Amino acid sequence: MIAATAKIHPLSVVEEGAVIGENVVIGPFCHIGPKVNLADDVVLISHVAVLGRTTVGKGTKIFPSAVIGGDSQSVHHSAVDTVLTIGENCTIREGVTMNTGTVEHGGATVVGNNNLFLAYAHVAHDCRLGNNIILSNNVMLAGHVTVEDRAILGGGSAVHQFARIGRQAFIGGLSAVAYDVIPYGMLNGNPGVLSGLNVVGMARAGIEKPVIHEVRRAYKQIFEGTGSVRVNAAAIRGDYLGCAPALEIIDFIAAESDRALSSPSRGKKG
């Protein structure tokens, strides 16, 4: 079904079965598969392939040479339909690739709203991305990665499969993310080392200075205490019931995960 207000260039292919919403603009040399759903006000500039069982949310804009909804690159990929869901008002720049999920892990790759994907970023199968995230140029997410709201990943960084990146974390350019990164954490290097808190990002998000100081105190108790990181975090939880960001870090550490936690020491050479 193609809405009457959609504008489709005659040099593009929209296969029968695709759903094209109101005021969608599809520029030249695009290919839209038969199971694709483009919501209202989506813009494909040119040379964009949207494939598979893919839904693109309202107002999202996709630039040339992006391939969205391609099959999973997992060796376990089967011919069974899996999905990619992209939220509203995302910007997907040149050469970005996003894959559908795998049957073995729920069959869905999910991308939230208001995200910015710079040129040649890659989102692999079964990833889960929140809202207001920035993936800079050439960022690579392996399969099953979780990225929470407002995280920023610097250019050329790579994230190991099943890793979690917490809310408003900052990953430095060219960093190798082998382990989970706490909310508000900063990670740099290859191998990646936790280098403190994203204090600038916290301030820009409107978190007040006294709260930031509380979070920094909790960070030191967790990572510089005498026990393990998980033991230290659990021990101080009761002291931070009135500090939501600190509790967020503590709960992130306590959650089950397939990966260990990044720390100021894990990954440090020599």
Side-chain angles (χ1 to χ4, degrees), residues 19-215:
V19 177
I20 310 298
E22 299 287 346
N23 302 311
V24 168
V25 176
I26 299 176
F29 303 107
C30 295
H31 181 189
I32 312 302
K35 300 175 183 178
V36 169
N37 186 328
L38 303 182
D40 297 348
D41 303 315
V42 166
V43 176
L44 313 183
I45 292 181
S46 72
H47 298 81
V48 175
V50 187
L51 310 170
R53 193 176 294 277
T54 296
T55 298
V56 180
K58 181 177 180 180
T60 288
K61 187 174 185 179
I62 307 179
F63 284 69
S65 301
V67 181
I68 307 301
D71 288 348
S72 160
Q73 297 180 89
S74 169
V75 296
H76 304 295
H77 174 71
S78 67
V80 177
D81 272 353
T82 53
V83 303
L84 167 65
T85 302
I86 300 171
E88 298 182 355
N89 300 314
C90 291
T91 299
I92 300 172
R93 294 302 302 253
E94 296 82 358
V96 169
T97 51
M98 297 184 182
N99 297 155
T100 57
T102 57
V103 172
E104 294 82 2
H105 295 274
T109 302
V110 180
V111 174
N113 304 321
N114 304 305
N115 294 314
L116 173 59
F117 301 89
L118 298 186
Y120 300 101
H122 175 66
V123 178
H125 59 90
D126 304 293
C127 286
R128 298 287 191 276
L129 277 65
N131 306 315
N132 300 292
I133 293 164
I134 298 175
L135 266 59
S136 301
N137 293 14
N138 300 294
V139 169
M140 296 170 285
L141 303 184
H144 317 284
V145 166
T146 298
V147 183
E148 296 182 355
D149 295 353
R150 297 187 179 277
I152 298 175
L153 282 72
S157 55
V159 184
H160 192 285
Q161 60 187 12
F162 292 101
R164 299 178 298 151
I165 296 178
R167 188 162 75 93
Q168 214 164 311
F170 183 91
I171 310 300
L174 302 177
S175 294
V177 184
Y179 306 109
D180 293 350
V181 181
I182 59 169
Y184 310 102
M186 290 188 67
L187 184 135
N188 290 282
N190 183 0
V193 174
L194 193 67
S195 56
L197 293 172
N198 181 16
V199 173
V200 172
M202 296 173 75
R204 288 176 177 172
I207 298 176
E208 297 180 351
K209 283 186 178 181
V211 176
I212 293 175
H213 291 320
E214 280 289 282
V215 178

